[in-house]
Amino acid sequence: MSTVIETAPPVAAGQAPGKGRWIEDWRPEDADFWATTGKKVAKRNLIFSIFSEHLAFSVWVIWSILVVSLGTLTDPATGAALYPDLVANQANATKIFWLVALPNLIGAIMRFPYTLAVGRFGGRNWTVISALLLLIPVGLALYVVLNPGVSYGFLLFAAITAGFGGGNFASSMSNISYFYPERTKGTALGINAAGGNIGLSSMQLFMPLMLFMGLSLTFATAFWLPLVLASALCAFFFMNNLHVSKATLAQQFAAAKRPHAWVMSFLYIGTFGSFLGLAASFPATLKFVFPDDQKFDFLGTGLLLPIAFLGPLVGSLARPFGGWIADRVGGAIVTAVVFTLMAVCSFGAIAAASAKNLGMFITSMLVLFAMSGAGNGSTYRMIPAIFKRQADAEIARNPAAEEQLLGQSRREGAATLGMAGAIGAVGGFILPKVIGDSIKATNGIGTAFSWFIAMYVVCLIVTLTVYIRKGATMSRV
C-alpha cells in the first residue's frame, strides 16, 4: 500500500498534521497512491485552503462596502456628512472608485511574491502567514470606522492594505495544483477558486445584513477578525507542505520564458479581471446609475447591496462549472464561448443603464458575472494542460528525461497559475477606474462598457488564433 513519507514528527496519512509537517512522497498520478492515500490528504488541504482563501477575498473587497456605508454617515448634531468625499455624486466618482480599485492593484502586485512563497516556504506555512497578514487591513478598516473624519489620504492607505487579501489566491491555487492529478485538476482548481471567490459575495451580503439587524458598523467590521485568526489556526493544524512544490526562484521564473504563460495571463485579464473589477465596483455602480430607484433599497438604509452580492456569487459558482466543462470539451472552446457572451452582455448592460431599466441591468450583469466565472475556470484548466502538452512533446524527443521534464512542467504550470492570477487581477484595478472616469465624465457607464466590449473581442480573437485554429500547436487544449 502507498504511504505518505513525512518529516518529523511522523504522522499517518489523514491525521491532523503537526508543526513543520512536510510530505516527501507525493505521486497523485499513481492510481494506487491516489486511491489509498493521496485523495484523502488532498481533500483535507483543499477544504482548509478554501476557508483561508474565502476570508482573504472577503477582506480584499471590504472597501466596496465601506465606501457606500461611510458615505451615508452624518453628524447627528449638524447633519453634515462625516465623509464628504464618499457621498455618491458625480464630483466624487473618481475618489470613490479609487478606493475600490486600489486594493485590486495592490492585490495583483502581491500575487507575484505570494506565488513564489509556496515554493520557498511550503503551502501550509505560507497559508498561515498570509492569513495573519489579513489582520492589518481589517484592523485599519476598524480604525477608520471608530475615528470618523479621518483624511482621504488615510482612507487610501487603509484601502491599499486590503490588497493583502488578493495575494492569497495566487499562493493557494499554486499550492493546490500540486495536490491533484492532471485528470481532475481543472475541477479541483475550480472548486478551490470558487470557494475563495465567494468571499467577495460574503462580504457584500453579511456586512449590510448585520447593519440591518441593528448591529453597528463597528461590529460589522470587527466581525472578520476572529474568522481570520481561525483560518490561520486551521491552516497550521490541518494543512500540509509538499516537498514536490519546493523550487528555486530560477525554476519558478522559468515559466516567464514561455510565450503561452503571457498569452494566458492576458486572457485572464478578460475573465478574472472582469470578475474582480465588476465585483468591487458593483455596489457603487448601482448607487450611481440608479440613485432614485428604491425598489432594492436595503430597507431604508440607502444601500443597494443585497443585489450587489449576487454578482460575485453567481460568478463564483460558475467557476467550477467552467473548469468541469473544460475538463470534458477543452478549455479553449469554453473560453471562446465565454468571451463572445461577455461582449453581448456588456451591450445589454449599456442599453439597460441608458433606459434606466434596473431589472434588465441586473440581469445583464449577473449573466456577465456568470460568464466571467466560467471563463476563470476554463482558463485555469488550460494552463496545466498547456504545460503538460509541452512536456509531452519534449519527452518524445528525450524519453530519458521524462521524470525531470514532468516535474518541470508541474512547477512551471503552478508558477504560471500565479503569474496569470497576478496579471489578471490588474484588470480588477483597471475596470473600476474606467467606470469611475466614465461616470465623472459622462454621468454614465456607456463609455466604460464599450471599452470592455472591445477587450472581450480582442481576447476572443487571441483564443481562436492561438488555441482553436486548426494547425495551432496548442489547438483544442
Side-chain angles (χ1 to χ4, degrees):
M1 178 180 293
S2 299
T3 57
V4 172
I5 303 173
E6 300 170 324
T7 56
V11 183
Q15 293 181 354
K19 183 178 180 180
R21 181 177 181 182
W22 285 84
I23 296 178
E24 301 288 344
D25 178 27
W26 190 253
R27 293 170 281 109
E29 301 296 344
D30 183 322
D32 180 57
F33 176 89
W34 181 250
T36 58
T37 300
K39 186 175 183 179
K40 181 188 299 184
V41 175
K43 183 178 180 180
R44 170 164 47 78
N45 278 269
L46 176 61
I47 289 171
F48 292 104
S49 172
I50 290 173
F51 181 37
S52 177
E53 191 187 352
H54 180 94
L55 290 171
F57 266 88
S58 295
V59 173
W60 199 6
V61 294
I62 191 171
W63 279 90
S64 71
I65 307 302
L66 289 177
V67 294
V68 180
S69 301
L70 295 174
T72 64
L73 297 181
T74 58
D75 187 325
T78 65
L82 291 175
Y83 287 97
D85 291 324
L86 302 185
V87 175
N89 56 49
Q90 189 175 355
N92 284 339
T94 299
K95 289 183 176 180
I96 291 173
F97 281 94
W98 260 110
L99 288 171
V100 300
L102 268 180
N104 296 342
L105 176 62
I106 302 305
I109 295 172
M110 297 301 292
R111 287 184 170 199
F112 286 105
Y114 272 54
T115 299
L116 300 175
V118 172
R120 176 65 179 84
F121 301 106
R124 163 193 175 267
N125 295 347
W126 186 250
T127 302
V128 174
I129 295 170
S130 61
L132 292 175
L133 286 173
L134 298 177
L135 296 175
I136 297 174
V138 177
L140 287 174
L142 185 59
Y143 179 85
V144 168
V145 172
L146 291 172
N147 296 272
V150 298
S151 69
Y152 180 74
F154 188 85
L155 297 181
L156 287 173
F157 171 71
I160 283 172
T161 65
F164 283 134
N168 291 40
F169 178 83
S171 54
S172 176
M173 294 294 279
S174 177
N175 181 46
I176 292 301
S177 72
Y178 287 103
F179 277 93
Y180 282 84
E182 186 68 29
R183 64 185 180 277
T184 62
K185 193 166 289 188
T187 302
L189 291 175
I191 293 172
N192 184 58
N197 291 171
I198 291 176
L200 304 178
S201 183
S202 296
M203 178 61 72
Q204 293 181 347
L205 171 64
F206 288 112
M207 273 194 79
L209 185 60
M210 285 184 270
L211 297 176
F212 164 67
M213 292 170 60
L215 301 172
S216 66
L217 185 58
T218 299
F219 179 89
T221 305
F223 172 81
W224 306 96
L225 288 172
L227 293 177
V228 167
L229 287 172
S231 72
L233 288 172
C234 286
F236 182 84
F237 286 110
F238 302 117
M239 291 185 70
N240 298 96
N241 300 306
L242 291 182
H243 188 270
V244 70
S245 71
K246 289 185 70 67
T248 65
L249 291 179
Q251 288 174 322
Q252 296 187 73
F253 277 124
K257 300 177 182 178
R258 301 283 192 176
H260 286 288
W262 293 100
V263 175
M264 292 307 303
S265 296
F266 171 73
L267 295 181
Y268 205 55
I269 294 175
T271 59
F272 183 72
S274 295
F275 171 78
L276 177 60
L278 294 174
S281 59
F282 199 20
T285 300
L286 283 171
K287 189 72 173 176
F288 275 105
V289 178
F290 299 96
D292 301 321
D293 196 318
Q294 298 300 307
K295 287 187 296 182
F296 295 96
D297 190 326
F298 200 48
L299 300 181
T301 63
L303 305 178
L304 294 170
L305 302 180
I307 297 303
F309 91 93
L310 290 174
L313 177 62
V314 299
S316 301
L317 295 177
R319 180 159 193 158
F321 180 74
W324 181 77
I325 291 293
D327 278 336
R328 285 151 180 78
V329 304
I333 294 175
V334 177
T335 302
V337 172
V338 159
F339 283 129
T340 301
L341 294 178
M342 289 177 74
V344 173
C345 291
S346 296
F347 273 117
I350 293 173
S354 178
K356 294 298 180 182
N357 187 327
L358 182 57
M360 179 181 173
F361 182 76
I362 290 174
T363 300
S364 297
M365 290 298 293
L366 291 184
V367 178
L368 182 56
F369 271 109
M371 290 301 100
S372 67
N376 291 337
S378 64
T379 51
Y380 256 44
R381 173 61 184 89
M382 290 170 68
I383 290 171
I386 288 170
F387 280 89
K388 178 62 164 58
R389 186 176 294 187
Q390 288 183 159
D392 289 341
E394 293 171 4
I395 289 170
R397 294 190 296 268
N398 186 12
E402 178 177 359
E403 183 176 349
Q404 177 186 350
L405 290 170
L406 287 176
Q408 177 181 321
S409 73
R410 286 192 294 268
R411 286 191 298 270
E412 292 183 356
T416 301
L417 291 175
M419 174 180 165
I423 295 175
V426 173
F429 166 74
I430 296 173
L431 267 69
K433 276 290 291 127
V434 172
I435 292 173
D437 291 343
S438 177
I439 291 174
K440 185 169 185 178
T442 68
N443 203 29
I445 62 169
T447 300
F449 276 73
S450 295
W451 280 108
F452 301 160
I453 291 170
M455 176 178 67
Y456 301 143
V457 171
V458 172
C459 289
L460 173 61
I461 292 171
V462 171
T463 304
L464 293 173
T465 303
V466 181
Y467 298 115
I468 294 182
R469 177 179 57 85
K470 185 177 181 180
T473 305
M474 293 291 166
S475 180
R476 302 302 176 94
V477 69

